[in-house]
């Protein structure tokens, strides 16, 4: 009754009218808000469409120019080849003699042209993917707009703008792809289309060469045999050689074991990078058609590990085999060297050639521009310095200390270390400084090229501390052996410079190489704004591990000075050397992650080498993922999408794609362009 009276009263009527007006006002505000939002949305879409059209037109024009240039070069090379093959008296005389320099250049030009067409075809596929993915992106974004706002204006805008945009309507890229395939088939592969397409074919999105089933089988076989043989030689050595001086033999085989460990851990690195979406193929500028997968690296490590075990067992059973003990390390290192420099196109020829070329660039660093792969490999050598020192010991031991007439020459009867395991003749200190010297001159070369004192000169200063550490270690060792009074002074200087070097390298690892302790880290405390690996605990554990192993030398100095056991230095070196390789293995994960994020954020990538044409299944699955609420998103929830160009598809994988590796890097695009 009270409510009825209220509705009849003037106050009630006023209240109802006020409520209606307020409701109408709220509805108008909402409509104006959505209209303003829609206007801004379409303005943003138009801005992005303009960027895409401009970028596509520039890249298409560049592709057309490159195709014309390649056509002209191919025609010139073919004409020159036909002239050289023309039947004439002069050419008939030439066939009796070896090819001239000019003729070799002609054949090399044809080979270079095949590679050039292969790389050009790769860039065309990239541009075609750019075309398809951006159209799909516009279609799905506008479809989502219409679904949320319950309107059809998004579809109308797509028809009016996107479907008539040059980047979508232009079919010249398809024509260029077809013409390239035809040209390579007819002119370079003698009409064999299957062979031509095998040369031109772009690898899957994951950029990994799929390992055959036999490779997987061999990995398991080698690992199993390695474990069995390892148990066998450990038991044999413990039973029969517990009272002999085994350290010369340990030093012979320690370096080769560290190389095998490094290869195996590098395989784990490769697997981890690919799983996390870190595009190591792009960073190292590897050939996308012939780079090694983690299984290939496991296979190489397993094979060399089996050879290593067989060589040790042959040493231990030298009396039974009739082969002198001292011959086995030489055979092992000879086989490993032969595997590396084998000139025949077998056993991963292209990858081995890439490594040899990279090693040459590392050792000739001051004379050419330094790239990422160059200083990455030099950093690995700094962790493998024990390998170089053991190789130097092997050469010295075989030259100066080995008793060749004895069957067990690697198990000398004397308990002393001899001259080869000391700093007394200077070469050992030089070998120990060599990796640091290589990085030092690389930093100087980088400074010469960039004229930037920071970080290159500061980084060079970091490696220069190694020279002081090695110098004072050598001086302390030689003066201690001679019971010189100056030994104590050199000991304190060794501790001082070792501390400086460890702090210097630790800070550089965490801040510069890994990019951690960023002030803009946000929720990633002590880390950085963007992280790739799924658990923050990985980063914190890596920081602790790096701190501990950077200062592991303190344990070595403490035990060496506090105990009188002669074998303590060798025991600690044998334990700490694999730990240093493990530290570098962890370092590799975060160093390449940081480089990868810099490539994405600062647009330093120059090409994409992990893209492929989308097949029908991939296209359908990609659209399904884009229809979901969070089907396509960045790696972390609170990232600015302007910094990264990576689309991490965290849903079921495409058939041509390995997990989480769907990177599309576009060169020289604006911060807000679609990719």
């Amino acid at each position: 009754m009270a409510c009825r009276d209220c509705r009849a009263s003037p106050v009630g009527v006023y209240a109802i009218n006020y409520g209606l007006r307020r409701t109408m006002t709220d509805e108008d505000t909402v409509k104006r808000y959505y209209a303003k939002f829609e206007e801004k949305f379409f303005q943003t879409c138009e801005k992005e469409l303009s960027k895409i059209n401009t970028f596509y037109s520039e890249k298409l024009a560049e592709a057309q120019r490159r195709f014309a240039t390649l056509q002209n070069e191919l025609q010139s090379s073919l004409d020159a080849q036909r002239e050289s093959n023309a039947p004439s008296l002069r050419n008939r005389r030439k066939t009796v003699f070896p090819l001239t320099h000019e003729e070799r250049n002609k054949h090399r030009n044809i080979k270079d042209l095949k590679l050039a067409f292969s790389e050009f075809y790769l860039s065309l596929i990239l541009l075609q993917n750019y075309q398809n993915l951006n159209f799909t992106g516009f279609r799905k974004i506008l479809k989502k707009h219409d679904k949320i706002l319950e309107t059809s204006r998004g579809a109308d805008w797509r028809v009016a703008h996107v479907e008539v945009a040059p980047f979508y309507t232009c079919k010249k890229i398809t024509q260029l792809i077809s013409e390239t395939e035809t040209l390579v088939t007819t002119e370079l592969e003698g009409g064999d289309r299957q062979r031509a397409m095998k040369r031109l074919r772009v690898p899957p999105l994951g950029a990994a060469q799929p390992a055959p089933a036999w490779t997987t089988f061999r990995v398991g076989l080698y690992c199993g045999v390695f474990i069995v043989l390892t148990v066998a030689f450990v038991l044999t050595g413990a039973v029969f050689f517990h009272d002999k001086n085994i350290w010369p033999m340990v030093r012979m085989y320690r370096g080769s074991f560290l190389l095998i460990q490094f290869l195996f851990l590098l395989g784990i690195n490769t697997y981890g990078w690919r799983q996390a979406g870190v595009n190591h193929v792009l960073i190292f500028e590897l050939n996308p058609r012939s780079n090694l997968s983690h299984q290939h690296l496991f296979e190489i490590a397993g094979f060399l590990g089996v050879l290593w075990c067989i060589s040790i067992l042959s040493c231990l059973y030298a009396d039974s085999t009739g082969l002198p003990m001292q011959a086995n390390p030489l055979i092992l290192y000879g086989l490993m060297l032969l595997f590396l420099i084998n000139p025949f196109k077998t056993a991963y020829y292209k990858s081995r050639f890439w490594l040899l070329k990279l090693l040459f660039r590392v050792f000739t660093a001051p004379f050419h521009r330094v790239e990422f792969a160059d200083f990455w490999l030099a950093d690995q050598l700094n962790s493998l310095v024990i390998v170089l020192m053991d190789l130097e010991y092997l050469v010295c031991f075989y030259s100066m200390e080995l008793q060749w007439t004895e069957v067990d020459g690697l198990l000398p009867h004397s308990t002393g270390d001899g001259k080869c395991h000391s700093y007394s003749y200077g070469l050992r200190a030089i070998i120990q400084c060599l990796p640091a010297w290589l990085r030092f001159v690389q930093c100087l070369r980088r400074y010469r090229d960039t004229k930037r004192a920071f970080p290159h000169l500061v980084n060079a200063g970091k490696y220069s501390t190694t020279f002081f550490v090695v110098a004072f270690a050598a001086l302390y060792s030689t003066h201690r052996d001679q019971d010189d009074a100056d030994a104590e002074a050199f000991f304190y200087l060794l501790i001082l410079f070792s501390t400086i070097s460890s702090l210097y390298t630790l800070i550089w690892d965490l801040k510069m190489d890994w990019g951690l302790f960023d002030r803009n880290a946000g929720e990633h405390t002590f880390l950085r704004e963007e992280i790739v690996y799924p658990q923050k605990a990985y980063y914190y554990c890596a920081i602790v591990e790096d701190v501990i192993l950077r200062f592991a030398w303190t344990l070595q100095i403490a035990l060496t000075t506090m105990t009188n056991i002669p074998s303590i230095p060798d025991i600690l070196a044998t334990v700490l050397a694999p730990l240093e390789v493990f530290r570098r293995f962890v370092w590799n994960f975060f160093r390449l992650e940081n480089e990868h994020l810099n490539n994405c954020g600062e647009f330093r990538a120059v090409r994409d080498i992990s893209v492929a044409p989308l097949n029908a299944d991939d296209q359908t699955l990609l659209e399904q993922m884009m229809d979901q609420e969070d089907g396509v998103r960045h790696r972390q929830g609170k990232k600015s999408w302007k910094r990264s160009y990576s689309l991490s598809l965290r849903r079921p994988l495409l058939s041509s794609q390995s997990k989480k590796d769907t990177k599309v890097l576009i060169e020289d695009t604006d911060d807000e362009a679609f990719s």
Side-chain angles (χ1 to χ4, degrees):
M1 190 69 184
C3 291
R4 191 177 297 117
D5 294 341
C6 178
R7 284 197 299 271
S9 66
V11 175
V13 173
Y14 174 79
I16 293 173
N17 291 336
Y18 175 78
L20 289 174
R21 286 198 301 272
R22 184 172 181 180
T23 302
M24 293 176 61
T25 302
D26 289 344
E27 289 180 356
D28 291 341
T29 303
V30 170
K31 287 180 180 179
R32 286 197 302 272
Y33 173 80
Y34 278 116
K36 185 178 180 180
F37 166 79
E38 203 168 32
E39 180 182 3
K40 185 176 179 180
F41 173 77
F42 286 125
Q43 287 177 353
T44 303
C45 288
E46 190 169 352
K47 181 181 177 182
E48 300 302 324
L49 181 62
S50 175
K51 294 175 185 175
I52 292 170
N53 283 328
T54 302
F55 178 82
Y56 180 80
S57 300
E58 290 176 354
K59 291 300 177 183
L60 180 61
E62 179 184 333
Q64 289 173 321
R65 289 193 299 271
R66 288 182 61 191
F67 183 67
T69 302
L70 287 173
Q71 273 185 313
N72 292 334
E73 291 181 0
L74 176 61
Q75 189 61 46
S76 300
S77 297
L78 293 177
D79 290 343
Q81 194 175 44
R82 292 189 189 100
E83 290 177 5
S84 64
N85 294 333
S88 66
L89 180 61
R90 180 183 177 186
N91 286 332
R92 283 200 300 270
R93 278 201 309 269
K94 276 188 177 180
T95 57
V96 181
F97 303 100
L99 290 175
T100 64
H101 178 70
E102 290 78 8
E103 289 173 324
R104 284 196 296 270
N105 281 340
K106 290 171 186 175
H107 290 288
R108 192 183 304 121
N109 287 339
I110 293 294
K111 183 178 179 180
D112 292 343
L113 280 171
K114 289 182 179 181
L115 178 61
F117 271 104
S118 179
E119 292 297 315
F120 174 66
Y121 187 81
L122 192 65
S123 67
L124 294 181
I125 295 299
L126 168 62
L127 194 56
Q128 187 182 56
N129 269 11
Y130 179 78
Q131 183 184 42
N132 295 335
L133 286 174
N134 276 288
F135 177 76
T136 303
F138 266 120
R139 185 161 60 84
K140 304 308 291 184
I141 289 170
L142 293 169
K143 180 180 177 182
K144 185 73 69 176
H145 166 273
D146 289 353
K147 180 179 178 181
I148 293 174
L149 298 184
E150 298 180 355
T151 181
S152 62
R153 283 188 290 274
D156 297 338
W157 193 91
R158 174 173 58 83
V159 172
H161 295 83
V162 179
E163 293 188 1
V164 298
F167 89 92
Y168 178 67
T169 58
C170 180
K171 303 302 178 184
K172 291 182 180 179
I173 189 66
T174 305
Q175 181 182 352
L176 274 177
I177 291 174
S178 178
E179 290 178 0
T180 302
E181 292 173 355
T182 303
L183 190 62
V184 172
T185 301
T186 56
E187 299 294 345
L188 293 177
E189 300 298 345
D192 189 342
R193 181 171 177 81
Q194 183 177 4
R195 185 176 175 183
M197 293 310 298
K198 183 179 180 181
R199 177 179 294 278
L200 296 175
R201 188 171 294 117
V202 180
L205 281 169
Q209 300 301 307
W214 274 108
T215 300
T216 307
F217 170 77
R218 288 194 296 268
V219 170
L221 176 65
Y222 293 149
C223 291
V225 173
F226 174 77
I227 293 173
V228 172
L229 294 180
T230 301
V231 173
F233 83 69
V234 168
L235 294 178
T236 302
V239 172
F240 295 106
F241 299 99
H242 64 278
D243 58 345
K244 294 187 178 181
N245 182 14
I246 63 170
W247 290 112
M249 189 171 74
V250 170
R251 295 166 197 147
M252 300 293 173
Y253 285 100
R254 182 172 56 193
S256 52
F257 171 78
L258 293 177
L259 287 175
I260 294 166
Q261 179 198 5
F262 171 75
L263 284 174
F264 185 82
L265 294 179
L266 185 60
I268 300 178
N269 280 142
T270 305
Y271 178 78
W273 291 328
R274 187 168 292 119
Q275 292 296 100
V278 175
N279 200 336
H280 69 284
V281 179
L282 174 65
I283 293 172
F284 289 123
E285 298 184 16
L286 300 175
N287 187 336
R289 297 175 176 87
S290 61
N291 62 87
L292 298 182
S293 70
H294 60 281
Q295 291 197 39
H296 294 125
L297 290 168
F298 292 154
E299 180 188 12
I300 296 171
F303 173 71
L304 295 178
V306 170
L307 290 181
W308 183 75
C309 291
I310 292 174
S311 180
I312 294 180
L313 285 172
S314 180
C315 272
L316 299 180
Y317 290 98
D319 294 336
S320 303
T321 61
L323 185 66
M325 181 179 285
Q326 52 267 27
N328 290 283
L330 297 179
I331 294 173
L332 174 64
Y333 281 107
L335 290 175
M336 294 177 73
L337 181 63
L338 182 63
F339 176 81
L340 177 62
I341 65 174
N342 172 23
F344 299 103
K345 294 187 177 181
T346 57
Y348 312 116
Y349 167 78
K350 292 182 179 179
S351 298
R352 289 188 292 105
F353 180 76
W354 178 84
L355 178 59
L356 287 172
K357 184 174 68 173
L358 198 60
L359 283 170
F360 176 79
R361 289 178 57 85
V362 168
F363 282 92
T364 59
F367 307 109
H368 52 74
R369 186 177 180 85
V370 179
E371 305 294 343
F372 178 85
D374 302 330
F375 60 76
W376 177 86
L377 183 58
D379 278 327
Q380 310 306 303
L381 292 178
N382 276 271
S383 292
L384 295 171
V385 65
I386 292 293
V387 176
L388 300 178
M389 296 174 68
D390 285 347
L391 288 175
E392 175 270 334
Y393 175 80
L394 181 145
V395 174
C396 177
F397 184 84
Y398 274 78
S399 303
M400 303 173 62
E401 297 182 7
L402 177 63
Q403 300 296 324
W404 288 91
T405 56
E406 298 181 4
V407 178
D408 57 347
L410 298 185
L411 299 173
H413 302 292
S414 61
T415 57
D417 285 334
K419 184 177 181 180
C420 291
H421 193 58
S422 68
Y423 290 103
S424 59
Y425 69 111
L427 183 60
R428 189 170 182 81
I430 295 174
I431 295 296
Q432 192 172 354
C433 287
L434 180 60
W437 167 258
L438 295 175
R439 281 297 285 123
F440 179 76
V441 295
Q442 283 182 339
C443 293
L444 295 183
R445 174 67 195 209
R446 295 268 288 178
Y447 170 69
R448 177 185 179 275
D449 292 337
T450 63
K451 306 301 181 186
R452 291 166 58 189
F454 185 85
H456 303 308
L457 289 185
V458 181
N459 200 15
K462 179 188 73 173
Y463 290 102
S464 69
T465 60
T466 303
F467 307 149
F468 294 98
V469 172
V470 173
F472 289 121
L475 290 171
Y476 168 66
S477 177
T478 53
H479 284 73
R480 182 193 59 188
D481 294 341
Q482 298 170 3
D483 294 326
D484 197 320
D486 294 335
E488 186 175 356
F490 290 126
F491 175 72
Y492 290 123
L493 287 172
L494 172 61
I495 292 178
L496 174 63
F497 279 94
S498 296
T499 304
I500 294 173
S501 178
S502 295
L503 288 173
Y504 205 155
T505 53
L506 176 65
I507 293 171
W508 197 272
D509 281 347
L510 301 179
K511 184 64 179 175
M512 300 300 297
D513 289 340
W514 295 357
L516 304 182
F517 295 97
D518 187 0
R519 283 178 290 184
N520 300 319
E523 63 181 4
H524 305 138
T525 310
F526 301 130
L527 304 182
R528 67 172 91 86
E529 182 181 0
E530 295 182 86
I531 61 174
V532 168
Y533 302 113
Q535 299 294 331
K536 288 189 283 188
Y538 295 160
Y539 297 84
Y540 298 128
C541 290
I543 292 172
V544 174
E545 172 266 345
D546 201 51
V547 172
I548 293 173
L549 294 183
R550 279 296 186 186
F551 285 90
W553 57 268
T554 57
L555 179 65
Q556 189 171 12
I557 288 182
L559 292 179
T560 303
T561 55
M562 295 171 61
T563 61
N564 295 322
I565 302 175
S567 57
I568 278 292
D570 277 311
I571 293 174
L572 291 174
T574 305
V575 171
L576 293 179
L579 290 178
E580 172 59 22
V581 174
F582 177 80
R583 188 197 65 80
R584 184 62 64 177
F585 153 75
V586 176
W587 181 91
N588 285 336
F589 277 118
F590 302 102
R591 178 66 186 91
L592 259 78
E593 177 206 24
N594 193 32
E595 184 70 16
H596 168 78
L597 292 175
N598 288 334
N599 270 342
C600 297
E602 299 177 16
F603 315 106
R604 296 196 309 213
V606 295
R607 61 171 181 164
D608 190 301
I609 53 180
S610 55
V611 293
L614 292 176
N615 56 41
D617 296 335
D618 288 355
Q619 185 80 16
T620 302
L621 187 53
L622 182 62
E623 293 178 5
Q624 291 174 357
M625 288 187 287
M626 296 179 75
D627 276 333
Q628 299 172 11
E629 291 296 328
D630 59 347
V632 179
R633 66 175 187 266
H634 293 286
R635 285 193 174 87
Q636 301 296 332
K638 295 186 178 182
K639 282 190 214 170
S640 170
W641 66 297
K642 296 182 180 181
R643 287 196 56 188
S644 177
Y645 271 82
S646 60
L647 299 178
S648 295
L649 307 183
R650 298 297 182 91
R651 295 294 175 189
L653 298 175
L654 306 183
S655 61
S656 61
Q657 172 180 26
S658 55
K659 187 179 178 183
K660 297 183 185 177
D661 190 8
T662 56
K663 190 131 326 275
V664 179
L665 301 177
I666 305 300
E667 178 188 11
D668 294 332
T669 50
D670 192 271
D671 281 8
E672 297 178 356
F674 289 118
S675 62

